[in-house]
Amino acid sequence: MPLPEDAFIFDCLESKTASTARKTHIRRMYDILQLCIHRNDLPRARRAWAVLARCREIPWMSMWPTAIHIVGDSHSEEENIERRITLLREMMHQFPDQRETLLKELIFRLILSGHHREALDELELYLPSFPYQDDPVLHTYAGMLQLYRSQPNDDTNLNQSTASFDFTLLRDAKAHFERAYVLDPDSPLVSAFLNKVSSLLLEGATKPSHQNRDSDEDEGDGMNTSS
């Protein structure tokens, strides 16, 4: 069924009709923006966004996920990721009322780009203070990062005893997952991670560590040598 001439494809303003020529132009430009994004034509999407961002009718601050998605015109995806991270940091400083939401997106982007230590540093900076300390998503991210860091550096050890895990980091991960569970007890993701970390800690507590086994072997070798 074809759309009427005065109708628009995507919702942006109050209605799908425009009462003035200016609003019609803005709505058409918004349709172009969304179509370019759907077609992954980011250069055209950036040009449409540059026009829309200057229009007072566009609530561009509430559309920041769109800006993050289309930012960056480098052929290197790594450079584009860095630009998105930089933009998020700038927006956090300029719009403190949106900082909690922007922080979650920043942590997500840092994790995706492999900057795990940097993501954890950001969380450790904000989590002790309100309102971040009451955000279950941020605690979940912190728990996931500590769980990741607790794993052995050598991939060949991943299937070996849990004694190869860093149990200090595992306990930190558990503390974050427990806090996230208190804040959001209905989250199946948090429950799954909490059960996994708890089982790793329990299994590790019932097994002698590699260090203790090595010490016993060294003592045994010494005794054999002396005899």
Side-chain angles (χ1 to χ4, degrees):
M1 178 177 171
L3 293 171
E5 288 187 7
D6 60 346
F8 302 93
I9 303 174
F10 298 96
D11 246 339
C12 172
L13 304 176
E14 294 82 3
S15 67
K16 282 203 170 188
T17 60
S19 56
T20 66
R22 175 182 174 85
K23 286 187 177 181
T24 300
H25 177 71
I26 291 174
R27 294 307 308 273
R28 297 292 186 206
M29 188 61 65
Y30 184 79
D31 280 354
I32 292 172
L33 169 67
Q34 294 297 331
L35 283 171
C36 289
I37 292 174
H38 280 73
R39 294 170 179 173
N40 202 32
D41 187 355
L42 297 187
R44 279 197 177 92
R46 281 189 284 269
R47 291 197 291 270
W49 175 258
V51 175
L52 289 171
R54 293 180 173 89
C55 299
R56 62 181 180 274
E57 294 88 349
I58 295 296
W60 67 270
M61 184 54 212
S62 63
M63 294 169 58
W64 62 263
T66 301
I68 297 299
H69 178 70
I70 66 177
V71 73
D73 55 2
S74 172
H75 294 295
S76 169
E77 184 59 25
E78 184 176 349
E79 290 184 20
N80 289 336
I81 290 173
E82 292 298 328
R83 292 185 181 184
R84 293 181 185 117
I85 291 173
T86 299
L87 178 58
L88 282 166
R89 292 189 191 279
E90 292 175 354
M91 294 178 69
M92 285 176 62
H93 289 294
Q94 295 177 15
F95 305 98
D97 57 323
Q98 297 284 331
R99 187 171 293 162
E100 186 176 356
T101 302
L102 292 167
L103 177 61
K104 285 185 276 192
E105 182 69 18
L106 174 62
I107 298 302
F108 176 69
R109 296 285 176 175
L110 287 171
I111 293 174
L112 280 182
S113 61
H115 298 165
H116 303 114
R117 180 66 254 184
E118 190 175 349
L120 190 58
D121 287 343
E122 292 285 347
L123 287 169
E124 291 175 345
L125 175 64
Y126 285 98
L127 270 179
S129 59
F130 182 83
Y132 314 100
Q133 61 187 1
D134 293 332
D135 193 311
V137 175
L138 294 178
H139 281 286
T140 302
Y141 278 145
M144 291 169 64
L145 286 165
Q146 293 289 43
L147 174 59
Y148 176 81
R149 294 179 64 239
S150 72
Q151 297 178 94
N153 292 327
D154 187 357
D155 292 340
T156 60
N157 292 331
L158 289 177
N159 295 322
Q160 294 183 10
S161 169
T162 55
S164 56
F165 281 80
D166 186 321
F167 286 96
T168 299
L169 296 179
L170 275 181
R171 284 189 287 270
D172 289 343
K174 183 182 179 183
H176 284 295
F177 288 132
E178 287 175 338
R179 179 60 178 163
Y181 182 78
V182 170
L183 296 169
D184 187 10
D186 296 326
S187 171
L189 178 67
V190 172
S191 298
F193 273 115
L194 182 57
N195 291 335
K196 179 62 176 178
V197 172
S198 299
S199 64
L200 286 173
L201 286 169
L202 181 62
E203 185 179 350
T206 59
K207 290 183 178 181
S209 67
H210 289 313
Q211 183 177 357
N212 291 338
R213 288 200 301 270
D214 291 343
S215 298
D216 294 341
E217 290 174 1
D218 291 343
E219 291 177 3
D221 291 343
M223 294 173 60
N224 292 334
T225 302
S226 61
S227 61

